[in-house]
Amino acid sequence: RNPSRMALLGDGIRTEMSADAIARHDKYDIVVDATGRPEGLDVAVSLTRARGTVVLKSTCAGDSTLCLAPIVINEVTVVGSRCGPTDEALRILASGLDLDLDKMVTEFP
C-alpha cells in the first residue's frame, strides 16, 4: 500500500503491489503480507510458489475465512512476525550506526 516504504528495501529485492502480480499470476519464493486486512493472507498465499514462505506481518482485528488447502497442498510455510527482538534493535540503535530512521518511520502514535 505504500510504495515509498517498499522502495526502502533497495537493490536485489523485487517489490510490487499485489494487484499487478495477481493480474500476471506471478508466484514468489517469499511473500510478505503487511496489509492489515483479513483477506491479505489469502492474497499472499495465492502469490506464493509451492514450498515458498509467507511472512505474516499484519495484525488485523477482523476474522479471516482462509482456505487452508493451498497451504497444505503447496507445502507453504507461514511465519508470523509481529515484533522483532527489542533488545537487539536497541543495541543496534545505540551502536552509532548511521541509520536514516526518518525513512523507515513515517508515523508514530
Side-chain angles (χ1 to χ4, degrees), residues 52-75:
T53 300
V54 173
V55 178
L56 186 55
K57 188 65 179 154
S58 278
T59 304
C60 67
D63 292 335
S64 175
T65 57
L66 176 69
C67 176
L68 297 176
I71 294 172
V72 175
I73 293 167
N74 294 316
E75 300 178 359

Side-chain angles (χ1 to χ4, degrees), residues 28-51:
Y28 300 94
D29 294 332
I30 300 171
V31 177
V32 177
D33 169 30
T35 62
R37 298 177 175 209
E39 66 274 11
L41 182 55
D42 284 325
V43 173
V45 169
S46 75
L47 293 171
T48 306
R49 69 163 180 79
R51 298 184 130 191

